[in-house]
Amino acid sequence: MSLIGLRTEAQNGFNMPYSQFGIGLSELPFSVPTVTRMGGVVYTQSGSNYINPFNPASYGSIGMESFVFDMGAGITLTRLQNNNDHAKDADGNISHLMFGLPITKWWKLAGGLLPYSEVDYATVSEGSYASNSIVKNIYDGTGGTSMVFLGSAFNILDNSKGRRLQAGFNIDLLLGRIQRALSYAFQGIDTTHYMDKRRFKETDLTNLLFDFGVQYWEPLNEKYTLGVGLTYKPYRKMNITDKVLIYTYHASDQTLSDTIFPLAGESSNVTSTLERDHTFGLGINFARNHRWMVAFDATFSGWAGMKYTEGINPPVFGESSLDYGPYSRYAVAFEKTGDMDASSYWNRISWSLGAHMENGAMRLNINGRNEVIDAWGCGLGASLPMRKGRSLLTLSVGYRSLGNKDLLQQESLTFGISVSSCERWFVKRKYN
């Protein structure tokens, strides 16, 4: 399978050629507005009135007697281009639904739903077949995966000097359904001996993942604080189910003519595998208390995302162009921190901007040539306090570029909004 430019068949939603590989294209963590505004910095971020699922230790900062409900959405404008052509598209999606609450003073709980990956493409290529025929190859795919998580954090150290140590974990349920098809339509002078063929594959996922995190803050003096965040995602190999169907059909009315796979008495279900490599994250945060903050993140893994290995030989759609190799991500952000005690509302708003770079976001083998596809992006935004500072409204704008014009460049501009409602649910009110 290969990338084949910008020619498309009509369909709803995006046409994202890069999403035809693996289990689709993932925008996490950049799709969450509170992360977008920080340019991708996540490992040292935490607060009493929002949820950061990318380091589960952050749940330890949820305030006592509080229930936090965090939800967001975004609108994405996408431009696909190479050296010869370009195309534009737009779409909107829910970015997250999350909650958090205290169980005890030292134990906090959080959970939620995050869209993990998306598959949405329709591309066409043509080639010759025999001397008098042309075969039209039509690739299309839809679907995606989501992640449901439930996590806990524990406050191990929290003393009067401001020194804090928190540790946490997430249990993640990855689930979804992806449908892909490849149709061969024969055209030409003599197609008597060639019957149009279609290959179909439906992938179902329901798998558990785990990740761990630590956050530590050390006051340097009365004004400055140093924070460190660490995360670890252990290696995990999972079985998934592919339902495969290969058949010929009559192009005139699309009716089935003959089933090639599975044969009579065989099952159409194939067991494939999905692997996530060991992934390490490190964050450093230097803050001038109630004034500003500078943060840096670094992520390292054996490969980007999930490694998909089809359990049928030969593969349904031929050998995949997707390759796997070292992946790293770096992000930096600056925030002008709002003062929640300020009398002026303007001074209570937090403003931020940041940028990130991904090395080896995708690796493809195109016509015998290895293509290492990098990505980079930036973001800015603001967090506006609501209801006397306990709840937050976050607005963000983010830009991300994947690939290059020599192959295919995908540029995305996302406008995000999230509302984090922080209510005092566990207080017994007193009346005079």
Side-chain angles (χ1 to χ4, degrees), residues 38 47 57 70 81 86 118 151 156 187 266 300 328 366 396 427:
M38 298 293 289
D70 195 342
Q81 60 182 335
H86 72 274
E118 184 177 5
I156 300 172
Q187 303 169 331
E266 292 184 344
F300 306 96
S328 60
I366 305 296
S396 66
V427 178

Side-chain angles (χ1 to χ4, degrees), residues 27-216:
E27 296 291 336
L28 286 178
F30 316 109
S31 55
V32 178
T34 51
V35 178
T36 301
R37 78 179 188 93
M38 298 293 289
V41 168
V42 292
Y43 298 134
T44 55
Q45 302 307 295
S46 66
S48 62
N49 50 5
Y50 70 94
I51 308 299
N52 172 22
F54 306 107
N55 186 340
S58 65
Y59 312 148
S61 297
I62 296 173
M64 287 298 297
E65 304 171 345
S66 298
F67 179 85
V68 182
F69 180 74
D70 195 342
M71 67 176 296
I75 297 175
T76 301
L77 309 178
T78 297
R79 176 185 173 93
L80 299 172
Q81 60 182 335
N82 56 25
N83 291 323
N84 302 314
D85 204 353
H86 72 274
K88 296 180 180 179
D89 214 332
D91 199 10
N93 290 291
I94 298 295
S95 63
H96 65 279
L97 293 170
M98 300 183 288
F99 72 91
L101 72 160
I103 303 299
T104 68
K105 184 178 180 180
W106 52 269
W107 176 21
K108 313 297 172 64
L109 184 72
L113 170 67
L114 294 166
Y116 183 82
S117 68
E118 184 177 5
V119 174
D120 197 349
Y121 64 90
T123 54
V124 181
S125 70
E126 290 184 354
S128 60
Y129 191 85
S131 58
N132 298 321
S133 296
I134 295 175
V135 60
K136 185 179 182 182
N137 305 312
I138 305 170
Y139 301 83
D140 63 89
T142 58
T145 63
S146 299
M147 182 171 287
V148 179
F149 73 93
L150 182 66
S152 285
F154 306 94
N155 295 338
I156 300 172
L157 176 65
D158 189 357
N159 61 26
S160 59
K161 296 181 180 180
R163 185 177 296 160
R164 288 186 294 150
L165 174 62
Q166 301 170 178
F169 67 89
N170 279 338
I171 301 174
D172 307 313
L173 176 64
L174 182 67
L175 67 159
R177 173 170 291 178
I178 300 168
Q179 295 179 332
R180 290 186 169 94
L182 169 58
S183 301
Y184 303 95
F186 293 95
Q187 303 169 331
I189 298 174
D190 180 13
T191 58
T192 305
H193 303 290
Y194 311 123
M195 182 74 73
D196 292 336
K197 184 190 296 183
R198 183 174 175 85
R199 294 169 175 257
F200 174 82
K201 181 172 66 175
E202 183 177 83
T203 302
D204 284 308
L205 301 90
T206 306
N207 301 95
L208 284 177
L209 297 163
F210 307 91
D211 55 282
F212 307 90
V214 175
Q215 289 185 337
Y216 176 73

Side-chain angles (χ1 to χ4, degrees), residues 244-430:
V244 176
L245 180 62
I246 304 175
Y247 59 94
T248 58
Y249 64 98
H250 297 286
S252 57
D253 55 9
Q254 297 293 306
T255 58
L256 186 146
S257 174
D258 186 31
T259 300
I260 301 174
F261 182 91
L263 298 176
E266 292 184 344
S267 173
S268 61
N269 292 336
V270 174
T271 300
S272 300
T273 60
L274 201 63
E275 297 174 80
R276 183 184 68 179
D277 199 21
H278 301 281
T279 304
F280 302 90
L282 167 66
I284 299 175
N285 183 315
F286 181 69
R288 168 68 161 88
N289 301 340
H290 307 298
R291 296 287 182 86
W292 53 261
M293 177 270 295
V294 177
F296 170 79
D297 275 8
T299 307
F300 306 96
S301 183
W303 57 78
M306 301 287 182
K307 182 178 181 180
Y308 168 74
T309 304
E310 195 171 75
I312 184 172
N313 191 22
V316 180
F317 300 134
E319 292 295 333
S320 173
S321 299
L322 192 62
D323 198 4
Y324 298 91
Y327 169 77
S328 60
R329 183 180 80 233
Y330 305 94
V332 63
F334 172 82
E335 180 180 50
K336 185 267 179 188
T337 309
D339 185 354
M340 294 296 102
D341 297 324
S343 58
S344 169
Y345 180 79
W346 183 263
N347 291 332
R348 291 164 59 194
I349 300 175
S350 295
W351 304 89
S352 60
L353 58 90
H356 69 270
M357 178 178 64
E358 299 175 77
N359 298 323
M362 187 175 291
R363 296 171 184 267
L364 298 175
N365 191 317
I366 305 296
N367 299 324
R369 185 179 71 255
N370 290 324
E371 294 279 355
V372 179
I373 300 174
D374 298 327
W376 68 275
C378 56
L380 57 89
S383 286
L384 293 76
M386 305 165 57
R387 299 177 63 86
K388 299 182 180 180
R390 290 188 57 80
S391 299
L392 289 176
L393 172 67
T394 299
L395 303 175
S396 66
V397 179
Y399 169 84
R400 187 167 184 259
S401 175
L402 174 67
N404 56 72
K405 292 182 181 179
D406 290 337
L407 183 61
L408 179 67
Q409 184 177 23
Q410 178 174 315
E411 297 177 289
S412 302
L413 184 65
T414 301
F415 299 89
I417 181 171
S418 69
V419 177
S420 178
S421 175
C422 183
E423 302 292 340
R424 297 174 67 90
W425 278 25
F426 309 105
V427 178
K428 181 180 292 185
R429 299 186 182 276
K430 296 181 180 181

